[in-house]
Amino acid sequence: MQNIHTADSTPRQRAPWWFNLAGQLLQPWVRIRRDPAEPAALLQAGVPVCYVIERDGFSDALILQRACREAGLPSPMQALAGTRRRRSVFALARRDGWIFGRNRKRAPNEPLRQLVRSLEGMPDRDIQIVPVSIYVGRAPSRDSGWFRVLFSENWVMVGRFRRLLALLLNGRDTVVHFSAPVSLRSVLAESGELAPERFTRKLARVLRTHFHRIRAAVIGPDLSHRRTVVDAVLNAEPVRAAIAASAAKEKISHAKAWRKAHKLMMEIAADYSHPVVRSVSFLLSNFWNKLYDGIAMHHFDKARAAAPGYEVVYVPSHRSHADYLLMSYQLHVSGVVVPHIAAGVNLNLPGIGPILRRGGAFFMRRSFTGNPLYSVVFKEYMAQLIDRGVPIEYFTEGTRSRTGRLLAPRGGLLSMTVRAFLRAPRRPVLFQPVYIGYEKLMEGKSYIGELSGKPKEKESLLGLLRGLKVLRQRYGHVALNFGEPIELTPLLEAASADWRATSADPDAKPEWLNGVVDQLAERIQVNINRAADVNPINLLALALLATPKHAMAESDLLAQLELSKTLLEELPYSDRVTLTPMNPSGIIAYGEQMGWIRRVQHPLGDVLVTDDEQAVLLSYFRNNVLHLTATAAWVACCFLNNRRMSRASVLRLGRIIYPFIQGELFLPWDEDGFGVQLQATIDLFVRRGLLESTGDGRVLERAPGQDDSAFQLKVIARSLIQAFERYYITIAALAKNGPHTMTGAELENACTLTAQRLSLLNELSAPEFFDKALFRGFIQKLRERRVVWTDEGGKLDYDGALEVMVRDARVILSREVRHSILKITPGGEKEAAANEAGVTGTGSHDIVQPAEDASAAELHQRHVDAEHHRHAHADAATADDGSITPPRE
């Protein structure tokens, strides 16, 4: 390639010999990639070239000289034609001193003045100013050593020693970026009559801004200094008002109140550091290899494609402390900016907190109650992050799930996000749900203890050190499934056509805001569940926990696993659900390898069993995927105690029960959609021979109890039967005590105690059976459906709809189960006498307990007869098509 020569014929000054020698010594350590590959095409032939670099460094000059030589560009070490400058390069950041000097970001006024003076009186002369950015170790690979990561390029102007280390470690990953040249003559003409001194300052400022933008594009935005964010928060009008109010309320000086707000801000704010993120990423790669057999991401390409142009808020499920690290690590190694993560202040431990903070964590207290200044400061910090386009991650559940189910969402952070967007709707917000699935949890045993009543162990450095023993185990595979993203703007437009008018008042809280937040929270949970990953442990848990002793003959387990996979494949829950490719025998072998099940050899065939403690832990992984089998489980439940039912009855009862299981499992369908799913499930059961369809498809019948198909139906049903038992406990406790006698909290407590006692008596291996949150959610759903309500005295009242629910429960729950629940449930003064007479409750809403010798068939017949008069058109087919259930086997 030919060099581009200037128009001036002034002799060139060659670089000194020692400079050339240093370049030769550096050459083996540095490999340069030019951007663009052919920068000579950018320059205008015959016009002198002056390079501008970001920092004044000997190594940068050597790299620039070599890059220009390899690209066929004029040498930066030659004299600049037409000027008194001995070199054709200058730096924006100058360094004072030699050994102990520090970088100073001073405007290079003298070099720019010389360039301007050289054009005075010579209108036909011009100079091309070419900004050149040099990055050493911009993007070290995952296999790079830790020191290479530590000394990679960042936003800090490092000293000579660190620059030398960076060259030795990362020099072979050097990028030299040539920007388009700037015509000094054109810039002078545009400045008009601006004084030379002001012109040089303005040009230096423009160059600094240019280098800042290039660096942000190459290595990411500068998030390493939180000082600017802290200053912006403290200077915001809402915070200034809160500081003034705090000073007046507490009768302290304004300066003291400001220092208090500043202290709160330093407690909250992240201190993001590129070197720390890269260093921790390198350490985690080895850590994950020791803990897990693999980390898989599904549908990430769809999430990446949807993100450009949006403020992205990641909202993953929360099941382990590892969630924080896994998400950040996987995003980082996939080339995506690590989000700022909302973490509980309990994780701000000595030694650990600073690392998390530099990895993007910002800390929040569990409660803002009683501290209005903290509330305002935190909300303003969130608003600043969103306004600056910083990606954010938080867990809508608020805490880790101890049961394996998605918890009811908490709307605090969602509300802050929505209000921050309403205040400055410049960049649209996109919520990205993420399902995180495990095959074994480090916190499993502690979760079981907490559900059994033990207090939650407070996070501490000592507890962390004691917990290091869990790192000796293997935890299988982890899956991160990215669900369907949710745009905020369409939700706002559906709520209010003039929602943009709200931005005029930052303190406004429109009446529709709570509805939008609730709808958003619900959709996030639904979309997380729609991206579930079904692993081998989930399938084993669904099968084995449905048997009384958590054991199955190998042949039965193989058949049940095959049926479960068929249900998930032929009745897809969502196009984002992923299913293990293992076949049933491979699933069993993997469960044995992971230690979840053990094989008991027997001459008549091996038996696979999970021990009691393991069974309790397995319930967590069954609960991860309960929502995927809810439709099949409901149909199977209808035939637990009945051999024959009409299709219409299965569908009608399903629509009645659906709102409650939908609220508990965050199912995606409306009632009509659930009916369609039920029809498809029934048809599949008929095709598989689990049910037989007669009477032109109107009557469904299962095989006798000893048949394999009946056994498979029972296994499917038992995954959901405990939910119906909890529902019956609630309505039985309410009806047994009568209306106007219990508050919501008292009912919740009575239900929890009843479930705990029932669990002890029946040796249930599911601690979530007596989870207070599940009872609270069911009671809330009863309120929403107006089945129960609160009277003027704060007590619960109900109407005849509760009796209908009790009668419907008799179709699903056996007589023995109902009797046990009624016997244990706390009641009023008439409880003993009521039980003796077969009647429980008081007042006009008594529930009649059927005689002990009544069969399930008789109970269902009474139910059908009673319902016939109230639903004549709906149940006409039921009465005519032989849906009366014969006695159970």
Side-chain angles (χ1 to χ4, degrees):
M1 182 182 296
Q2 295 182 349
N3 287 347
I4 296 178
H5 299 286
T6 65
D8 199 299
S9 60
T10 303
R12 305 290 184 255
Q13 179 175 339
R14 299 182 62 182
W17 64 269
W18 52 267
F19 185 88
N20 293 329
L21 177 61
Q24 292 177 6
L25 294 174
L26 186 64
Q27 185 167 349
W29 300 91
V30 175
R31 184 170 57 198
I32 295 174
R33 180 170 66 85
R34 298 186 304 274
D35 182 22
E38 300 295 339
L42 301 173
L43 301 183
Q44 181 180 351
V47 179
V49 176
C50 183
Y51 303 99
V52 184
I53 56 177
E54 195 172 4
R55 66 186 88 198
D56 182 18
F58 182 54
S59 62
D60 284 15
L62 292 173
I63 292 171
L64 177 61
Q65 165 77 347
R66 178 178 160 189
C68 290
R69 184 178 70 249
E70 293 177 353
L73 298 176
S75 170
M77 301 308 294
Q78 69 185 14
L80 184 60
T83 72
R84 296 181 179 180
R85 291 196 56 78
R86 299 171 58 193
R87 301 283 183 260
S88 297
V89 62
F90 66 91
L92 285 182
R94 304 292 301 278
R95 189 175 181 84
D96 295 337
W98 175 249
I99 298 178
F100 299 105
R102 299 183 63 186
N103 287 305
R104 306 291 184 185
K105 291 186 178 179
R106 302 185 305 182
N109 294 335
E110 185 57 34
L112 287 174
R113 248 188 251 113
Q114 291 177 1
L115 299 182
V116 172
R117 281 200 297 265
S118 70
L119 300 184
E120 292 177 353
M122 303 184 68
D124 59 338
R125 182 183 292 275
D126 194 7
I127 296 175
Q128 300 179 86
I129 298 177
V130 180
V132 182
S133 305
I134 301 172
Y135 304 109
V136 178
R138 177 184 64 93
S141 67
R142 291 178 60 181
D143 298 327
S144 301
W146 181 74
F147 277 104
R148 291 190 181 186
V149 174
L150 185 62
F151 291 100
S152 58
E153 194 71 50
N154 56 70
W155 283 85
V156 179
M157 288 286 204
V158 299
R160 290 188 174 91
F161 178 70
R162 284 198 57 169
R163 190 63 168 178
L164 176 61
L165 288 177
L167 284 168
L168 296 178
L169 294 170
N170 295 316
R172 298 183 67 80
D173 182 27
T174 298
V175 176
V176 179
H177 178 86
F178 291 88
S179 297
V182 177
S183 169
L184 184 58
R185 173 66 62 187
S186 300
V187 176
L188 274 171
E190 292 173 2
S191 65
E193 301 298 325
L194 201 61
E197 188 65 30
R198 293 186 60 189
F199 172 76
T200 55
R201 287 200 302 267
K202 177 182 177 181
L203 184 55
R205 189 164 57 249
V206 170
L207 288 171
R208 280 197 299 271
T209 302
H210 170 80
F211 279 115
H212 187 280
R213 289 176 178 173
I214 296 298
R215 183 169 287 268
V218 173
I219 66 172
D222 181 11
L223 302 174
S224 57
H225 298 95
R226 56 177 172 170
R227 175 174 48 81
T228 55
V229 178
V230 170
D231 290 345
V233 170
L234 295 177
N235 290 327
E237 186 58 37
V239 176
R240 291 167 61 186
I243 291 173
S246 177
K249 182 179 179 180
E250 299 179 23
K251 298 181 180 180
I252 57 178
S253 66
H254 185 275
K256 189 173 182 179
W258 185 93
R259 289 195 296 272
K260 182 178 177 182
H262 184 269
K263 184 178 179 181
L264 292 175
M265 192 60 228
M266 299 305 288
E267 173 192 317
I268 294 168
D271 190 13
Y272 189 92
S273 166
H274 288 286
V276 170
V277 168
R278 288 169 175 157
S279 301
V280 172
S281 174
F282 169 72
L283 295 174
L284 283 177
S285 63
N286 295 323
F287 180 72
W288 298 140
N289 289 336
K290 291 180 180 179
L291 276 186
Y292 299 114
D293 297 323
I295 303 172
M297 287 206 301
H298 301 118
H299 311 298
F300 175 69
D301 291 342
K302 297 177 183 177
R304 189 203 293 266
Y310 287 91
E311 159 66 20
V312 180
V313 180
Y314 296 95
V315 277
S317 58
H318 197 14
R319 287 167 181 161
S320 170
H321 279 315
D323 297 341
Y324 301 97
L325 300 177
L326 279 168
M327 274 288 295
S328 295
Y329 172 79
Q330 288 298 115
L331 291 174
H332 177 69
V333 299
S334 301
V336 176
V337 178
V338 174
H340 278 39
I341 308 171
V345 74
N346 55 312
L347 295 179
N348 192 16
L349 303 172
I352 302 299
I355 296 176
L356 295 178
R357 198 183 293 275
R358 285 168 174 79
F362 60 96
F363 296 100
M364 62 181 296
R365 299 177 182 178
R366 291 295 181 186
S367 174
F368 295 0
T369 305
N371 196 339
L373 181 59
Y374 181 87
S375 177
V376 172
V377 168
F378 188 89
K379 291 176 181 178
E380 184 60 34
Y381 178 70
M382 283 280 293
Q384 288 289 334
L385 293 182
I386 293 170
D387 188 48
R388 292 164 185 255
V390 177
I392 299 174
E393 175 188 335
Y394 51 74
F395 302 97
T396 56
E397 296 168 274
T399 186
R400 292 167 293 155
S401 171
R402 268 65 173 176
T403 65
R405 303 165 180 261
L406 281 183
L407 304 179
R410 300 180 183 180
L413 288 174
L414 288 174
S415 178
M416 292 182 202
T417 305
V418 174
R419 296 188 69 177
F421 174 71
L422 291 175
R423 193 176 79 174
R426 285 186 283 271
R427 176 179 296 195
V429 176
L430 186 78
F431 292 90
Q432 179 58 66
V434 184
Y435 175 95
I436 304 179
Y438 297 90
E439 294 178 346
K440 186 178 284 189
L441 281 176
M442 289 181 281
E443 302 98 329
K445 292 186 179 180
S446 66
Y447 286 174
I448 302 305
E450 291 175 32
L451 286 171
S452 300
K454 295 180 181 179
K456 177 181 178 293
E457 184 176 349
K458 187 178 180 181
E459 285 81 1
S460 66
L461 191 58
L462 181 60
L464 179 65
L465 294 176
R466 284 200 305 264
L468 291 178
K469 61 183 179 181
V470 302
L471 304 182
R472 301 171 188 169
Q473 303 180 39
R474 299 288 292 183
Y475 292 89
H477 294 80
V478 182
L480 277 69
N481 283 12
F482 288 77
E484 184 179 349
I486 303 165
E487 293 185 46
L488 177 59
T489 303
L491 293 178
L492 295 174
E493 291 174 348
S496 174
D498 60 344
W499 64 269
R500 293 183 184 275
T502 311
S503 61
D505 184 3
D507 295 326
K509 187 176 181 181
E511 59 182 11
W512 44 261
L513 178 63
N514 288 341
V516 168
V517 172
D518 291 343
Q519 184 182 0
L520 176 60
E522 180 80 11
R523 285 190 60 183
I524 288 171
Q525 302 301 80
V526 167
N527 284 9
I528 289 175
N529 267 350
R530 291 181 66 196
D533 175 73
V534 185
N535 60 50
I537 310 307
N538 299 137
L539 295 174
L540 287 172
L542 282 170
L544 289 173
L545 296 186
T547 59
K549 294 189 176 181
H550 313 129
M552 265 192 188
E554 184 173 17
S555 58
D556 289 337
L557 182 55
L558 287 169
Q560 197 68 39
L561 292 172
E562 188 274 331
L563 175 60
S564 297
K565 290 197 67 174
T566 299
L567 287 171
L568 294 170
E569 289 169 347
E570 297 192 19
L571 299 174
Y573 189 88
S574 162
D575 61 352
R576 297 200 182 216
V577 170
T578 52
L579 178 62
T580 176
M582 290 186 184
N583 58 30
S585 58
I587 292 172
I588 292 174
Y590 188 72
E592 292 181 89
Q593 176 190 330
M594 289 288 293
W596 283 115
I597 60 177
R598 61 183 175 87
R599 180 181 297 270
V600 179
Q601 295 184 343
H602 192 273
L604 298 181
D606 291 355
V607 174
L608 281 307
V609 62
T610 181
D611 297 325
D612 290 343
E613 183 178 351
Q614 294 289 73
V616 175
L617 295 173
L618 270 180
S619 67
Y620 193 97
F621 301 95
R622 177 197 61 191
N623 293 341
N624 290 168
V625 295
L626 270 184
H627 60 286
L628 302 179
T629 61
T631 308
W634 166 252
V635 175
C637 280
C638 291
F639 296 91
L640 269 179
N641 303 297
N642 312 291
R643 277 197 60 186
R644 184 183 298 117
M645 283 189 72
S646 71
R647 183 186 290 253
S649 293
V650 174
L651 297 176
R652 183 183 62 79
L653 293 174
R655 288 189 176 94
I656 293 174
I657 200 67
Y658 179 66
F660 304 103
I661 59 175
Q662 180 191 33
E664 183 173 323
L665 300 178
F666 300 103
L667 302 179
W669 311 287
D670 57 17
E671 290 184 11
D672 291 338
F674 184 63
V676 173
Q677 288 295 118
L678 287 178
Q679 292 276 25
T681 304
I682 292 171
D683 292 340
L684 178 59
F685 279 2
V686 172
R687 290 198 305 272
R688 293 279 304 193
L690 301 178
L691 293 175
E692 182 181 351
S693 178
T694 60
D696 296 329
R698 292 180 299 169
V699 179
L700 302 169
E701 184 176 354
R702 68 162 169 84
Q706 67 273 16
D707 191 86
D708 287 344
S709 62
F711 174 77
Q712 289 185 322
L713 274 179
K714 180 181 290 187
V715 170
I716 295 173
R718 291 192 64 82
S719 64
L720 200 59
I721 197 66
Q722 289 180 358
F724 301 135
E725 291 175 1
R726 281 197 310 274
Y727 300 163
Y728 191 75
I729 287 173
T730 306
I731 58 178
L734 186 58
K736 194 171 183 179
N737 286 274
H740 312 292
T741 59
M742 303 180 76
T743 64
E746 290 169 344
L747 176 59
E748 183 182 310
N749 188 57
C751 292
T752 304
L753 293 175
T754 301
Q756 284 178 339
R757 185 167 179 81
L758 192 65
S759 180
L760 289 172
L761 293 173
N762 295 325
E763 297 183 358
L764 296 177
S765 59
E768 85 278 357
F769 181 66
F770 46 83
D771 183 11
K772 186 174 288 190
L774 294 178
F775 285 107
R776 187 182 306 123
F778 178 64
I779 295 169
Q780 178 59 31
K781 188 62 68 172
L782 289 174
R783 295 177 189 268
E784 293 174 7
R785 306 289 294 183
R786 296 298 297 169
V787 177
V788 302
W789 58 89
T790 305
D791 63 15
E792 295 179 356
K795 305 292 185 179
L796 294 177
D797 193 9
Y798 53 89
D799 62 11
L802 203 67
E803 297 178 0
V804 176
M805 294 184 67
V806 173
R807 286 198 298 269
D808 289 339
R810 295 175 181 178
V811 180
I812 305 301
L813 300 179
S814 68
R815 181 181 61 218
E816 293 79 9
V817 170
R818 298 197 313 276
H819 177 74
S820 297
I821 291 174
L822 289 169
K823 184 177 180 181
I824 296 172
T825 303
E829 297 178 358
K830 299 181 180 181
E831 177 181 352
N835 283 335
E836 288 288 332
V839 178
T840 60
T842 58
S844 60
H845 297 281
D846 294 349
I847 297 178
V848 178
Q849 173 71 18
E852 289 301 310
D853 59 351
S855 69
E858 292 167 341
L859 299 179
H860 185 55
Q861 178 64 61
R862 296 174 194 169
H863 168 72
V864 171
D865 291 343
E867 291 296 290
H868 177 76
H869 297 289
R870 300 197 301 135
H871 304 279
H873 66 285
D875 285 348
T878 304
D880 295 335
D881 63 12
S883 65
I884 300 174
T885 310
R888 289 177 291 129
E889 285 76 14

